[in-house]
Amino acid sequence: MEPNNTPLSHSVTLDKAKCKGCTACLKRCPTEAIRIRDGKAKILQDLCIDCGECIKVCPYHAKQAATDPFEDLQKYKYNIAVPAPTLYGQFHNLKDIDYVLNGLLAIGFDDVYEAAKGTEAITDLTLKLLAEGKLEKPVINSACPAVIRLISVRFPSLISHILPVVAPVEAAAMAARKEAVEKTGLSPEDIGVFFISPCAAKATTVQNPLGLKASPISGVLSMKSVYMKLLPALGKLSEIKPISTSSLEGISWARIGGEIKALSRGKCLSVDGIDNIISLFEEIEDDENLDIDFIEALSCTGGCVSGPLTVENGYVAKMRIVEIAKAQGKKDLPRTPIDLTDEELTWSEPIKYRNNMYLDEDFAVAMQKLEQIETIYRDLPQIDCGSCGSPTCKCLAEDIVRGYADEIECIHNLRKRLQSLQQEAE
Amino acid sequence: MPNVKLHYDIDGNDFTVAGQASSNLKKVLKQLGVSTEVIRKAAISMYEGEINTVIHGKGGAADVEISTDKLIITFTDHGPGIKDISQAMQEGFSTATDEARELGFGAGMGLPNMKKYSDALNISSVLGEGTTVEIIIHLT
């Protein structure tokens, strides 16, 4: 497989004034994509998978996700809000989803289409594909863009295992636009479809779609910012129209376990938290005999409820999602199928391997560099303190050989050298 | 021509660390720009070899030598040795302990899998002294 290294833009940005150059994000980044340079965190674009861990861990709130402003609604003649089901878990004592959906209309949207609706079509198609038996096992879900990007940079042999199906929010966005065109007679470009997102990686996916030529989503609004507008509006609602048609299963996708609960078939496994996913994927690469049919992997612990753009504590939100999904199930709503073909729901573009690890295109030179890395590493203190601005001593050795850092940046070795100079002088 | 040598100690008392050498080797091969297919072969062979060395060899070491055209992994242990090598190479044959079987090992696929995913496999074993398993994987 040939590596594809076209530049990628990311949604994670840095507020330089707030960044103190500490090692919090440096040490947390699961793909070693951060360095501290000139006292500020720097993201290596080729390695970033948009998981948002750095946003969550930064004590100074210097890391942010670049989402779209609410004012972008003015660009379109008709605007549809597509809320992730995680939004429902942000409110205290929410009795009915319809409060939130009516609230979205009150703050300026013309229509609402639940992302949870998209899950139903995805589940149906997944079951069909699993029954056909043509997919390589274990099949890995495609709902979490950070997981797909992780595979594309770290686990090239697992690319062929990814479910080649659009994410629920993309299915919902496609269906929402289609319905709106029929309803309003406007052309598709005049319709704004805005995802209300708990997730930084989803924002990147609109610019750099995964598996699709172009994203059906017009813009991504951060859940935090929409929450601030929604909260006052909810108190002023005079009438609650019944809007929601989503199912218990659809809403449950907001938490880990939701997707495989909906599948309820075969040997399925749920894994959450990016580090747990990495160790599982390592094992899948190595062990032929694991015998797993389907893996639901969500980068955030607990699932999308813990996304970096949420307001509420992820565990509290998860508990609420369970309650809200149950209440929705009790409504016994008729299931209204999404009007999309299997072809529309299936990826048209392959996921490409982005090998950002190789040291040199010339194999012999790469071997020499590898030897140099080992030699430099042996001389480093191997305590992975991060003071040099690289996350580990091994990573500093690699950075030195790649020309990204100087050996002198190891403060411990520098101190040793000073001490021996001092001794010589005495 | 440069060649890269890697050494991994394999602890005989801990199944749960098996996989670390494989993980490290995968990273090195990616840094060298080796193809995904070769990395997969190396990962599976390394993992099976590590587990064999823990279960049967009571620990030992893995030595990797990478040259421009091939990868040689040598597992050395000072365990009981293999009585009948041709029997050990049969799929499904296993002498794994109950403890290992409880952890899901002992399916008798270790050596057969290493043979399947490598280009050459050589075993030498002396009863009571230990076993050396060498696997060769061509890089191109």
Side-chain angles (χ1 to χ4, degrees), chain B residues 38 41-43 45 69-73 117-120 135-140:
Chain B
V38 171
K41 284 161 85 174
S45 301
D69 59 339
K70 67 181 181 292
L71 170 76
I72 304 171
I73 311 174
Y117 288 99
S118 60
D119 297 305
I135 51 177
I136 298 170
I137 296 170
H138 297 305
L139 296 185
T140 43

Side-chain angles (χ1 to χ4, degrees), chain A residues 1 154 156-157 282-283 285-289 353 355 357-359 363-364 366-368 370-371 398 402, chain B residues 2-4 22-23 26-28 30-34 36 40 43-44 47 66-68 113 116-117 139:
Chain A
M1 209 180 298
R154 278 277 296 269
S157 72
E282 289 278 2
E283 189 162 345
E285 275 193 329
D286 296 351
D287 193 342
E288 277 274 274
N289 308 308
Y353 173 33
N355 184 357
M357 284 165 94
Y358 72 98
L359 294 163
F363 190 79
M367 295 264 275
Q368 277 166 356
L370 200 61
E371 278 188 308
E398 289 167 11
R402 287 178 200 270
Chain B
N3 76 355
V4 171
S22 164
S23 173
K26 275 189 278 188
K27 183 183 169 190
V28 166
K30 283 175 199 162
Q31 287 178 323
L32 292 173
V34 169
T36 306
R40 182 176 142 75
I44 294 174
Y47 180 75
I66 308 168
S67 54
T68 44
N113 258 347
K116 184 175 156 193
Y117 288 99
L139 296 185

Side-chain angles (χ1 to χ4, degrees), chain A residues 89-280:
Chain A
Q90 306 303 303
F91 302 93
H92 190 56
N93 267 334
L94 182 70
K95 298 271 187 302
D96 195 319
I97 293 167
D98 281 331
Y99 280 91
V100 176
L101 303 184
N102 279 275
L104 289 168
L105 296 177
I107 63 170
F109 288 98
D110 300 298
D111 207 347
V112 182
Y113 199 103
E114 294 168 89
K117 287 292 294 171
T119 66
E120 294 160 16
I122 308 294
T123 298
D124 290 345
L125 182 56
T126 307
L127 285 171
K128 199 167 154 183
L129 291 170
L130 287 176
E132 280 174 11
K134 287 180 198 153
L135 300 175
E136 210 168 325
K137 283 186 184 174
V139 176
I140 300 169
N141 69 333
S142 57
C144 178
V147 170
I148 300 174
R149 292 196 200 284
L150 171 73
I151 292 174
S152 76
V153 299
R154 278 277 296 269
F155 299 100
S157 72
L158 299 182
I159 290 177
S160 56
H161 292 248
I162 306 172
L163 182 72
V165 169
V166 302
V169 56
E170 288 160 346
M174 288 178 199
R177 181 171 283 112
K178 221 182 202 183
E179 271 186 18
V181 168
E182 281 169 26
K183 196 166 144 185
T184 62
L186 291 169
S187 68
E189 314 83 75
D190 288 331
I191 293 161
V193 181
F194 287 90
F195 180 45
I196 298 167
S197 175
C199 171
K202 288 285 189 200
T204 309
T205 306
V206 174
Q207 304 305 322
N208 299 281
L210 293 163
L212 293 172
K213 274 207 175 76
S215 172
I217 301 163
S218 319
V220 172
L221 304 175
S222 110
M223 195 163 279
K224 278 183 191 174
S225 68
V226 173
Y227 178 87
M228 296 307 285
K229 283 186 181 292
L230 260 179
L231 207 56
L234 287 183
K236 293 180 201 145
L237 292 174
S238 50
E239 177 202 15
I240 307 297
K241 287 185 285 181
I243 298 174
S244 175
T245 58
S246 63
S247 61
L248 181 161
E249 288 81 10
I251 294 167
S252 302
W253 277 54
R255 61 168 176 88
I256 189 71
E259 181 170 4
I260 61 168
K261 188 171 177 253
L263 284 178
S264 61
R265 176 190 183 278
K267 290 184 177 171
C268 293
L269 173 159
S270 291
V271 57
D272 58 337
I274 193 77
D275 295 328
N276 298 328
I277 293 170
I278 290 170
S279 75
L280 177 71

